[in-house]
Amino acid sequence: MTDAHLTDQALIAATEGGLPLTATPYAEIATRLGVSETAVTDRLRAMLADGRIRRIGAVPNHYRLGYTANGMTVWDVADDRVMDLGAAVGQLPFVSHCYLRPRVPGLWSYTLFAMVHGRSRAETDAHAAAIRALLGDALRAGEILYSTRVLKKTGIRTAGRQPVKETS
Amino acid sequence: MSDTAMEYDSIDRAIINGLLDGFPLSSRPYADAAASLGITEEALLTRLRSLLERGILTRFGPLFRPESIGGLAILAALSVPAERFDEVTATVNAYPEVAHNYQRDHRWNMWFVVATATPDRAWAVLAEIEAVTGLTVVALPKEHEFFLDLRLTA
């Protein structure tokens, strides 16, 4: 591969498991891909700039840092205010993920999802109370769904996402 | 998730908190990062290896937005009867497309994310899970992302 042929996909596949823990990790990736080191670092820099990469660095296991009270807070918010309020909730420092999701008639009525993390349920409950206060009179109902067990956590990997399942 | 005692010391903490973001895009990035932490390159590499081996860090490297990989990730929920929980967990987890799966204390007690290279495949996996388990899958693809990052400090 020449520098001009370096694809995002190849770079993602080469780094999604993590950077090599050697003195010159980018040079090592470049060698593996058959491109120059600057092609790798230039591409990573461009992907950071436009948001295809969120950040480069440490990804902690939050349980092991003591954040054991992880609550998925879900809120039924007036549709005409959820975009503004969702943006405000997403700015709260203890919120890690904040999404708008659909209602499913008869099964699911909450549209605003915000993951909150604390070192105790009391701390996480207090975070949820802060969200409740922020949502104010636009809020119809809300709940916290605490995780009680991690059943699987492999992360999103392109390598595991090939559409090849034997049974299908 | 019970062993939350301080398994890491102040240097580990400085590494975790100092390197959540902004890892240098230089030829010797570990040396540069180590210098800003006041330790040696070799010490930083040794510490990172240990933090990864002990599972305190899950990864060290770029964090990609799922959409940049060109695929689709769908959050889905199941309401699984207690006596079937292990069986359904095995069924769901067997799909490599299931990136993570959590038990939650709610009527909808199993929450998982299906991430695939193509949207069609994601919906096909959910349909298969529904067919195999006989349980209703509530699929909740995101309609808008307000914020996503996890930068909890040690």
mmCIF file with all atom_site columns, all heavy atoms in Angstrom, chain B residues 46-60:
data_model
loop_
_atom_site.group_PDB
_atom_site.id
_atom_site.type_symbol
_atom_site.label_atom_id
_atom_site.label_alt_id
_atom_site.label_comp_id
_atom_site.label_asym_id
_atom_site.label_entity_id
_atom_site.label_seq_id
_atom_site.pdbx_PDB_ins_code
_atom_site.Cartn_x
_atom_site.Cartn_y
_atom_site.Cartn_z
_atom_site.occupancy
_atom_site.B_iso_or_equiv
_atom_site.pdbx_formal_charge
_atom_site.auth_seq_id
_atom_site.auth_comp_id
_atom_site.auth_asym_id
_atom_site.auth_atom_id
_atom_site.pdbx_PDB_model_num
ATOM 1   N N   . THR B 1 46 ? 5.773   0.333  30.958 1.00 0.00 ? 46 THR B N   1
ATOM 2   C CA  . THR B 1 46 ? 5.588   -0.749 31.931 1.00 0.00 ? 46 THR B CA  1
ATOM 3   C C   . THR B 1 46 ? 4.273   -0.574 32.690 1.00 0.00 ? 46 THR B C   1
ATOM 4   O O   . THR B 1 46 ? 3.512   -1.524 32.884 1.00 0.00 ? 46 THR B O   1
ATOM 5   C CB  . THR B 1 46 ? 6.772   -0.777 32.926 1.00 0.00 ? 46 THR B CB  1
ATOM 6   O OG1 . THR B 1 46 ? 7.979   -0.914 32.169 1.00 0.00 ? 46 THR B OG1 1
ATOM 7   C CG2 . THR B 1 46 ? 6.645   -1.918 33.905 1.00 0.00 ? 46 THR B CG2 1
ATOM 8   N N   . ARG B 1 47 ? 4.013   0.654  33.114 1.00 0.00 ? 47 ARG B N   1
ATOM 9   C CA  . ARG B 1 47 ? 2.766   0.949  33.844 1.00 0.00 ? 47 ARG B CA  1
ATOM 10  C C   . ARG B 1 47 ? 1.540   0.684  32.965 1.00 0.00 ? 47 ARG B C   1
ATOM 11  O O   . ARG B 1 47 ? 0.538   0.129  33.429 1.00 0.00 ? 47 ARG B O   1
ATOM 12  C CB  . ARG B 1 47 ? 2.747   2.411  34.278 1.00 0.00 ? 47 ARG B CB  1
ATOM 13  C CG  . ARG B 1 47 ? 3.777   2.755  35.326 1.00 0.00 ? 47 ARG B CG  1
ATOM 14  C CD  . ARG B 1 47 ? 3.196   2.538  36.695 1.00 0.00 ? 47 ARG B CD  1
ATOM 15  N NE  . ARG B 1 47 ? 4.155   2.872  37.742 1.00 0.00 ? 47 ARG B NE  1
ATOM 16  C CZ  . ARG B 1 47 ? 3.834   2.995  39.023 1.00 0.00 ? 47 ARG B CZ  1
ATOM 17  N NH1 . ARG B 1 47 ? 2.571   2.836  39.401 1.00 0.00 ? 47 ARG B NH1 1
ATOM 18  N NH2 . ARG B 1 47 ? 4.742   3.259  39.925 1.00 0.00 ? 47 ARG B NH2 1
ATOM 19  N N   . LEU B 1 48 ? 1.588   1.112  31.714 1.00 0.00 ? 48 LEU B N   1
ATOM 20  C CA  . LEU B 1 48 ? 0.441   0.910  30.824 1.00 0.00 ? 48 LEU B CA  1
ATOM 21  C C   . LEU B 1 48 ? 0.188   -0.577 30.603 1.00 0.00 ? 48 LEU B C   1
ATOM 22  O O   . LEU B 1 48 ? -0.955  -1.035 30.625 1.00 0.00 ? 48 LEU B O   1
ATOM 23  C CB  . LEU B 1 48 ? 0.656   1.618  29.480 1.00 0.00 ? 48 LEU B CB  1
ATOM 24  C CG  . LEU B 1 48 ? 0.496   3.140  29.498 1.00 0.00 ? 48 LEU B CG  1
ATOM 25  C CD1 . LEU B 1 48 ? 0.894   3.733  28.143 1.00 0.00 ? 48 LEU B CD1 1
ATOM 26  C CD2 . LEU B 1 48 ? -0.942  3.547  29.842 1.00 0.00 ? 48 LEU B CD2 1
ATOM 27  N N   . ARG B 1 49 ? 1.281   -1.335 30.384 1.00 0.00 ? 49 ARG B N   1
ATOM 28  C CA  . ARG B 1 49 ? 1.115   -2.789 30.215 1.00 0.00 ? 49 ARG B CA  1
ATOM 29  C C   . ARG B 1 49 ? 0.431   -3.387 31.428 1.00 0.00 ? 49 ARG B C   1
ATOM 30  O O   . ARG B 1 49 ? -0.489  -4.206 31.305 1.00 0.00 ? 49 ARG B O   1
ATOM 31  C CB  . ARG B 1 49 ? 2.492   -3.451 30.024 1.00 0.00 ? 49 ARG B CB  1
ATOM 32  C CG  . ARG B 1 49 ? 2.901   -3.532 28.580 1.00 0.00 ? 49 ARG B CG  1
ATOM 33  C CD  . ARG B 1 49 ? 4.225   -4.285 28.388 1.00 0.00 ? 49 ARG B CD  1
ATOM 34  N NE  . ARG B 1 49 ? 4.939   -3.633 27.311 1.00 0.00 ? 49 ARG B NE  1
ATOM 35  C CZ  . ARG B 1 49 ? 6.056   -2.930 27.429 1.00 0.00 ? 49 ARG B CZ  1
ATOM 36  N NH1 . ARG B 1 49 ? 6.644   -2.823 28.607 1.00 0.00 ? 49 ARG B NH1 1
ATOM 37  N NH2 . ARG B 1 49 ? 6.591   -2.350 26.381 1.00 0.00 ? 49 ARG B NH2 1
ATOM 38  N N   . SER B 1 50 ? 0.854   -2.969 32.596 1.00 0.00 ? 50 SER B N   1
ATOM 39  C CA  . SER B 1 50 ? 0.294   -3.515 33.828 1.00 0.00 ? 50 SER B CA  1
ATOM 40  C C   . SER B 1 50 ? -1.179  -3.110 33.989 1.00 0.00 ? 50 SER B C   1
ATOM 41  O O   . SER B 1 50 ? -2.027  -3.930 34.355 1.00 0.00 ? 50 SER B O   1
ATOM 42  C CB  . SER B 1 50 ? 1.127   -3.026 35.012 1.00 0.00 ? 50 SER B CB  1
ATOM 43  O OG  . SER B 1 50 ? 0.481   -3.360 36.221 1.00 0.00 ? 50 SER B OG  1
ATOM 44  N N   . LEU B 1 51 ? -1.488  -1.854 33.709 1.00 0.00 ? 51 LEU B N   1
ATOM 45  C CA  . LEU B 1 51 ? -2.882  -1.388 33.837 1.00 0.00 ? 51 LEU B CA  1
ATOM 46  C C   . LEU B 1 51 ? -3.793  -2.146 32.874 1.00 0.00 ? 51 LEU B C   1
ATOM 47  O O   . LEU B 1 51 ? -4.929  -2.464 33.195 1.00 0.00 ? 51 LEU B O   1
ATOM 48  C CB  . LEU B 1 51 ? -2.962  0.129  33.570 1.00 0.00 ? 51 LEU B CB  1
ATOM 49  C CG  . LEU B 1 51 ? -2.390  1.024  34.671 1.00 0.00 ? 51 LEU B CG  1
ATOM 50  C CD1 . LEU B 1 51 ? -2.202  2.460  34.163 1.00 0.00 ? 51 LEU B CD1 1
ATOM 51  C CD2 . LEU B 1 51 ? -3.297  1.023  35.899 1.00 0.00 ? 51 LEU B CD2 1
ATOM 52  N N   . LEU B 1 52 ? -3.289  -2.444 31.685 1.00 0.00 ? 52 LEU B N   1
ATOM 53  C CA  . LEU B 1 52 ? -4.075  -3.199 30.700 1.00 0.00 ? 52 LEU B CA  1
ATOM 54  C C   . LEU B 1 52 ? -4.213  -4.661 31.135 1.00 0.00 ? 52 LEU B C   1
ATOM 55  O O   . LEU B 1 52 ? -5.295  -5.236 31.071 1.00 0.00 ? 52 LEU B O   1
ATOM 56  C CB  . LEU B 1 52 ? -3.421  -3.107 29.319 1.00 0.00 ? 52 LEU B CB  1
ATOM 57  C CG  . LEU B 1 52 ? -3.586  -1.749 28.628 1.00 0.00 ? 52 LEU B CG  1
ATOM 58  C CD1 . LEU B 1 52 ? -2.551  -1.572 27.523 1.00 0.00 ? 52 LEU B CD1 1
ATOM 59  C CD2 . LEU B 1 52 ? -4.992  -1.576 28.075 1.00 0.00 ? 52 LEU B CD2 1
ATOM 60  N N   . GLU B 1 53 ? -3.099  -5.250 31.592 1.00 0.00 ? 53 GLU B N   1
ATOM 61  C CA  . GLU B 1 53 ? -3.143  -6.653 32.024 1.00 0.00 ? 53 GLU B CA  1
ATOM 62  C C   . GLU B 1 53 ? -4.104  -6.839 33.186 1.00 0.00 ? 53 GLU B C   1
ATOM 63  O O   . GLU B 1 53 ? -4.814  -7.834 33.277 1.00 0.00 ? 53 GLU B O   1
ATOM 64  C CB  . GLU B 1 53 ? -1.750  -7.127 32.457 1.00 0.00 ? 53 GLU B CB  1
ATOM 65  C CG  . GLU B 1 53 ? -0.915  -7.666 31.306 1.00 0.00 ? 53 GLU B CG  1
ATOM 66  C CD  . GLU B 1 53 ? 0.563   -7.783 31.689 1.00 0.00 ? 53 GLU B CD  1
ATOM 67  O OE1 . GLU B 1 53 ? 0.873   -7.811 32.901 1.00 0.00 ? 53 GLU B OE1 1
ATOM 68  O OE2 . GLU B 1 53 ? 1.396   -7.819 30.762 1.00 0.00 ? 53 GLU B OE2 1
ATOM 69  N N   . ARG B 1 54 ? -4.136  -5.851 34.095 1.00 0.00 ? 54 ARG B N   1
ATOM 70  C CA  . ARG B 1 54 ? -4.991  -5.964 35.271 1.00 0.00 ? 54 ARG B CA  1
ATOM 71  C C   . ARG B 1 54 ? -6.426  -5.527 34.985 1.00 0.00 ? 54 ARG B C   1
ATOM 72  O O   . ARG B 1 54 ? -7.282  -5.570 35.861 1.00 0.00 ? 54 ARG B O   1
ATOM 73  C CB  . ARG B 1 54 ? -4.404  -5.123 36.415 1.00 0.00 ? 54 ARG B CB  1
ATOM 74  C CG  . ARG B 1 54 ? -3.136  -5.737 37.002 1.00 0.00 ? 54 ARG B CG  1
ATOM 75  C CD  . ARG B 1 54 ? -2.628  -4.919 38.165 1.00 0.00 ? 54 ARG B CD  1
ATOM 76  N NE  . ARG B 1 54 ? -2.001  -3.683 37.733 1.00 0.00 ? 54 ARG B NE  1
ATOM 77  C CZ  . ARG B 1 54 ? -1.995  -2.551 38.447 1.00 0.00 ? 54 ARG B CZ  1
ATOM 78  N NH1 . ARG B 1 54 ? -2.600  -2.498 39.616 1.00 0.00 ? 54 ARG B NH1 1
ATOM 79  N NH2 . ARG B 1 54 ? -1.398  -1.477 37.985 1.00 0.00 ? 54 ARG B NH2 1
ATOM 80  N N   . GLY B 1 55 ? -6.685  -5.081 33.753 1.00 0.00 ? 55 GLY B N   1
ATOM 81  C CA  . GLY B 1 55 ? -8.051  -4.731 33.384 1.00 0.00 ? 55 GLY B CA  1
ATOM 82  C C   . GLY B 1 55 ? -8.519  -3.391 33.915 1.00 0.00 ? 55 GLY B C   1
ATOM 83  O O   . GLY B 1 55 ? -9.707  -3.081 33.878 1.00 0.00 ? 55 GLY B O   1
ATOM 84  N N   . ILE B 1 56 ? -7.600  -2.577 34.439 1.00 0.00 ? 56 ILE B N   1
ATOM 85  C CA  . ILE B 1 56 ? -7.988  -1.248 34.913 1.00 0.00 ? 56 ILE B CA  1
ATOM 86  C C   . ILE B 1 56 ? -8.204  -0.327 33.705 1.00 0.00 ? 56 ILE B C   1
ATOM 87  O O   . ILE B 1 56 ? -9.102  0.500  33.697 1.00 0.00 ? 56 ILE B O   1
ATOM 88  C CB  . ILE B 1 56 ? -6.925  -0.692 35.888 1.00 0.00 ? 56 ILE B CB  1
ATOM 89  C CG1 . ILE B 1 56 ? -6.902  -1.583 37.145 1.00 0.00 ? 56 ILE B CG1 1
ATOM 90  C CG2 . ILE B 1 56 ? -7.211  0.760  36.240 1.00 0.00 ? 56 ILE B CG2 1
ATOM 91  C CD1 . ILE B 1 56 ? -5.738  -1.347 38.061 1.00 0.00 ? 56 ILE B CD1 1
ATOM 92  N N   . LEU B 1 57 ? -7.386  -0.518 32.685 1.00 0.00 ? 57 LEU B N   1
ATOM 93  C CA  . LEU B 1 57 ? -7.667  0.083  31.379 1.00 0.00 ? 57 LEU B CA  1
ATOM 94  C C   . LEU B 1 57 ? -8.181  -1.026 30.468 1.00 0.00 ? 57 LEU B C   1
ATOM 95  O O   . LEU B 1 57 ? -7.670  -2.140 30.495 1.00 0.00 ? 57 LEU B O   1
ATOM 96  C CB  . LEU B 1 57 ? -6.401  0.685  30.753 1.00 0.00 ? 57 LEU B CB  1
ATOM 97  C CG  . LEU B 1 57 ? -5.756  1.865  31.469 1.00 0.00 ? 57 LEU B CG  1
ATOM 98  C CD1 . LEU B 1 57 ? -4.566  2.376  30.651 1.00 0.00 ? 57 LEU B CD1 1
ATOM 99  C CD2 . LEU B 1 57 ? -6.750  2.987  31.706 1.00 0.00 ? 57 LEU B CD2 1
ATOM 100 N N   . THR B 1 58 ? -9.196  -0.718 29.661 1.00 0.00 ? 58 THR B N   1
ATOM 101 C CA  . THR B 1 58 ? -9.657  -1.706 28.687 1.00 0.00 ? 58 THR B CA  1
ATOM 102 C C   . THR B 1 58 ? -8.880  -1.576 27.388 1.00 0.00 ? 58 THR B C   1
ATOM 103 O O   . THR B 1 58 ? -8.719  -2.554 26.660 1.00 0.00 ? 58 THR B O   1
ATOM 104 C CB  . THR B 1 58 ? -11.161 -1.563 28.396 1.00 0.00 ? 58 THR B CB  1
ATOM 105 O OG1 . THR B 1 58 ? -11.415 -0.237 27.955 1.00 0.00 ? 58 THR B OG1 1
ATOM 106 C CG2 . THR B 1 58 ? -11.976 -1.840 29.638 1.00 0.00 ? 58 THR B CG2 1
ATOM 107 N N   . ARG B 1 59 ? -8.402  -0.376 27.088 1.00 0.00 ? 59 ARG B N   1
ATOM 108 C CA  . ARG B 1 59 ? -7.631  -0.135 25.868 1.00 0.00 ? 59 ARG B CA  1
ATOM 109 C C   . ARG B 1 59 ? -6.758  1.071  26.087 1.00 0.00 ? 59 ARG B C   1
ATOM 110 O O   . ARG B 1 59 ? -7.005  1.884  26.977 1.00 0.00 ? 59 ARG B O   1
ATOM 111 C CB  . ARG B 1 59 ? -8.530  0.204  24.667 1.00 0.00 ? 59 ARG B CB  1
ATOM 112 C CG  . ARG B 1 59 ? -9.516  -0.815 24.246 1.00 0.00 ? 59 ARG B CG  1
ATOM 113 C CD  . ARG B 1 59 ? -10.386 -0.303 23.111 1.00 0.00 ? 59 ARG B CD  1
ATOM 114 N NE  . ARG B 1 59 ? -9.597  0.046  21.947 1.00 0.00 ? 59 ARG B NE  1
ATOM 115 C CZ  . ARG B 1 59 ? -9.493  1.275  21.444 1.00 0.00 ? 59 ARG B CZ  1
ATOM 116 N NH1 . ARG B 1 59 ? -10.133 2.271  21.988 1.00 0.00 ? 59 ARG B NH1 1
ATOM 117 N NH2 . ARG B 1 59 ? -8.754  1.493  20.387 1.00 0.00 ? 59 ARG B NH2 1
ATOM 118 N N   . PHE B 1 60 ? -5.748  1.208  25.210 1.00 0.00 ? 60 PHE B N   1
ATOM 119 C CA  . PHE B 1 60 ? -5.016  2.464  25.136 1.00 0.00 ? 60 PHE B CA  1
ATOM 120 C C   . PHE B 1 60 ? -4.835  2.779  23.664 1.00 0.00 ? 60 PHE B C   1
ATOM 121 O O   . PHE B 1 60 ? -4.141  2.051  22.949 1.00 0.00 ? 60 PHE B O   1
ATOM 122 C CB  . PHE B 1 60 ? -3.654  2.374  25.846 1.00 0.00 ? 60 PHE B CB  1
ATOM 123 C CG  . PHE B 1 60 ? -2.993  3.710  25.914 1.00 0.00 ? 60 PHE B CG  1
ATOM 124 C CD1 . PHE B 1 60 ? -3.289  4.583  26.948 1.00 0.00 ? 60 PHE B CD1 1
ATOM 125 C CD2 . PHE B 1 60 ? -2.124  4.132  24.912 1.00 0.00 ? 60 PHE B CD2 1
ATOM 126 C CE1 . PHE B 1 60 ? -2.728  5.854  26.990 1.00 0.00 ? 60 PHE B CE1 1
ATOM 127 C CE2 . PHE B 1 60 ? -1.558  5.396  24.953 1.00 0.00 ? 60 PHE B CE2 1
ATOM 128 C CZ  . PHE B 1 60 ? -1.865  6.258  25.991 1.00 0.00 ? 60 PHE B CZ  1
#
